[in-house]
Amino acid sequence: MATLDELVQRLGERFGVLAESSTDQLTVIARNTDVAIGDLFLLPCKRGPDRFYVFRTTEYANVLNRTLEMNDVARNKLTMPDSYFAEDLADEKLVELRGMVLGYAQYAAGAWSFFRPRRLPQHLTDVYHVDPGNRAVGTVVRELMRSQLGEEGLFVGNLLAGERALVDVPVYLPPHALSHHLGVFGRTGCGKSNLMMVLLGSVLDHNRAVLRRERAGPALSVFAIDPHDEFRAWHAPVGGADGLRAVVAGYSDAERSALVAPFYYLTARDLPGAGLERRVQLSRADVTPADLVSIMEFSEQQIAFANQYYGDHGETWIGRLLSGELTGRRVEEEVPEYLPGTVAAVQRRLGFLTLGSTRVFTRFDPEMGLDYVSDLPDIVCALESGRVIVVDTTLMGELEQFLLNTVVARTLFTLRRALRSADTPGRLEIEIRQGLGNEDAQGQVGLRSFAEALLDRLSDGRLPYQEGDRIRSPDELPYVNIVVEEAPSVLNPLRMRFGSVFRDISRQGRKFGIGLTVVSQQVTEIDHGVLSQLNTQLTMALGNADERREAVRGAAADLGGFGQELQVLGRGQTLLTTSFRDVALPVQVPEYGAYD
Amino acid sequence: MRFDLHVRQGVRDQVGSLAVQMASWEARAPLSDEAREWILQAITPFAHTTVAAGLHVAGVDGSGDYPALTYADSFVYLTVAASALYASDSLSGLREVAPVPAPLVEFTWLSTDEWQREQALLAAFGRLGGLPVDEVLGQSDYRMLKAAGMTQSVEALRAGLILPPAHDAGNLGIQLRTSAELGAALRLIETVPPGTLVLTDGTLTLPFASRERQSLFPEHLRRLCCVRARDRGVVFVALSKSHGLRGEEQLEALAREKMGGGAGVPEHWYLRVGGEPFDNPVVAYLDPGGRLPPAGAVTYFVRLHRTTPLFRLDLDQFFWEQHIRGASDEETRCNEEALLGRLDYASHDQRAYGYPYPIKAAHDRASLTDQERAALRKQIMDAAVQAGMRRSLFRSVALATGHA
């Protein structure tokens, strides 16, 4: 590992000198150079152990050397006929940078370790600019900030120094970040889709490396809603980089079998055959009242009625209710009567699942020969095996899309909880059935067909919960992340008033290795309970001051000094804050396909 | 001590007598009609210049401490010169061109030993000029302008160099500082783009040109600058704030008469002394001592801006003949206006409005404050003590005897 003196040699010419400094703010006097808010600087220091302080400018001002007053110069320039103020290479025109210390790297036992900014550099320390054009400086930053940048895992982008990225300083998220919750915030057009695409590509790279034993597991799974059908082909239709299909096409047969099968792309469109890209279907028999309550407004009475009706009829409850069948109530317990209006209201809310209204949810009525037809069991098995599944929702209604996502999330959460509770294969089957509400001995039908399909897959190994007679712990399974697109529609406080699958996952999901990725244009519209559970935020350009304030407030690392930067973030630029790192990192997300 | 000299009658009488002499010297005979007409004709306005695309202009200035240190029979002289090169810039007027030339710094130790003094001075001149003294003497055209003509060998020229004694701080200071300035100018001339204006603070005067044998090293170096500037197509300009003119007020009045503008001070005009055709009646009036123009030079008096004084500008005569003098008077005037327009443009920095900023910038970089002089003096003494000398050797006699 290079020493302080060796690293200073690589930094090139001194940029400026530290002037006033306090624990709140540093001031640097520098030559008249083209600098930008967000530029990074290194301050080598030998007070105490050898250290490099990393300084980030949050504001700067033009100043004049000596005793000249800037206002006098400006007045003279205006009033003296045709006068100018010549630009000297040194001396007269200087810039004064103010900013904060991101932290410091300290040399000990032959290595550099990075610490939060608890100390200050010594008086009049030399200041070196982290110039993105000087790759040698990039290598120094990488060496000093190694612990903050990550060395492998999920590539997010390159560290941003002002307006330009440091090509030699990649930034990684640890794989286990996906088992926790992420927030991706940014107004339309700021590059959220590209960021998601880069992350999905990184997940595929990770899984391939795990398969090849180049990297420690576990594998990662992502269930990614794709509202614009971009991830599969990306920019190939307009002559740009191809998307995930190109990655999959590049795999060997064995890799496709191990990393992709049975599918990676689901859509509501009709596609020929049942290959890796196929039409998705779920069944009404996969849906519980809790799923619906998570995505649309229900009153307390309506929820109570729906729950009771589901309790009575289990997996057929939607079909029966939609057909107006209100018989079959349990008689052994005292049950409340519901007003016709309440019943009708619930029926109306299920309207989007009626025949002809949905391309995704199939009817289920065994008595009429409508059997259980659903991809949900295979989706669950795939996600439990380390897969990226992209769901094109362009032909789905908003509610269909939300319901699909909710059902998958709730199911996984239920199964992981069942798995945590079980210690034998026999017990696992019981826990799975109980989790799905299917206790025939108690007269509870629940999601019986789905449970049966799942248990079939458990026994033949497609659902990898068992290894012989040993029950796997959720810790041995892939980290699963569910992407919640257009999050304010399902994660707003009003919607979550009476409970939500996502609230449960946000609170408890990480115990079971399930994380959410909350994608939104607005931070303010997201339920505070969910926001407070986000371990990682990727904050891009936001629409207004309220959003920026909320983003700063909820960040996992101190974003206090980045307020102004949030105003000027360009396309693809993001601030990465995560509880897995000590400091916030500005990152340039590269165009997907335009990097190695 | 109580100061009462100024109230003593004898002193007051002397001051009165002095004033009468000064006033009578100023009250000269009125201009002849012929001279007046000549001067009116010679005064030429030029345009206030606010655009000078592609202009490169450099400035040189020097300073020093003469002496920086004295002890026993020895004197240490410190000489500094700095230069700066600028290019015209549409946004900032002038933008300095990298790299910044390193300042010339020369410590010269002279003792009363004649041989040591001569060797040390010649070595210092060589270092300041950037060339061995013999090469400067050999390559300069000073010989051509000297009374003895080209007949003198380099050895004879070297033998004729005036090398003042170690204690003659005044003359040594002038020679060392001028050599440093010209050395810095020569370095610029060798490197700047052709067409660049290289401005020095001073004149092209050759005070010993009329002497047969004696000369000053800076005279040779000054002319070498002219030679190399001609070779490289660089415009070498000596600009003096102290023109030494006796009839400046009269000149201003005539300029006002010619250019109009009421009672205000007229600006942006010039008057040439030397070259064709305005040579005599003007020179006779302005410079009865016959010092203008210097040998091998053409002199201009230039008014750039009303807030700065009339400047004297010397150009190499051979350069003038090649590049300024045109086939007609009109062409000559055009060339003169183009040159002075560029000088005017370079003089619009608000820190020194009406004076070329590159010289001002060089001056700022070369000048030494009292604290800097004291620091350098202490540095010399510390180094000497470290080298084995006694600190008591450097004790100030003036301080010890209550004279400072």
Side-chain angles (χ1 to χ4, degrees), chain A residues 94-140:
Chain A
L94 303 175
V95 289
E96 184 179 280
L97 310 173
R98 284 182 288 277
M100 58 181 186
V101 175
L102 281 182
Y104 63 88
Q106 184 167 306
Y107 191 73
W112 291 97
S113 306
F114 200 85
F115 297 92
R116 287 175 196 264
R118 292 196 180 90
R119 299 173 192 278
L120 269 183
Q122 68 198 50
H123 306 81
L124 303 174
T125 303
D126 285 346
V127 178
Y128 294 86
H129 184 211
V130 176
D131 175 7
N134 181 353
R135 298 190 65 168
V137 179
T139 62
V140 175

Side-chain angles (χ1 to χ4, degrees), chain B residues 80-96:
Chain B
V80 180
S83 58
L85 172 65
Y86 292 83
S88 56
D89 183 88
S90 58
L91 293 179
S92 58
L94 291 177
R95 182 182 293 274
E96 192 173 1

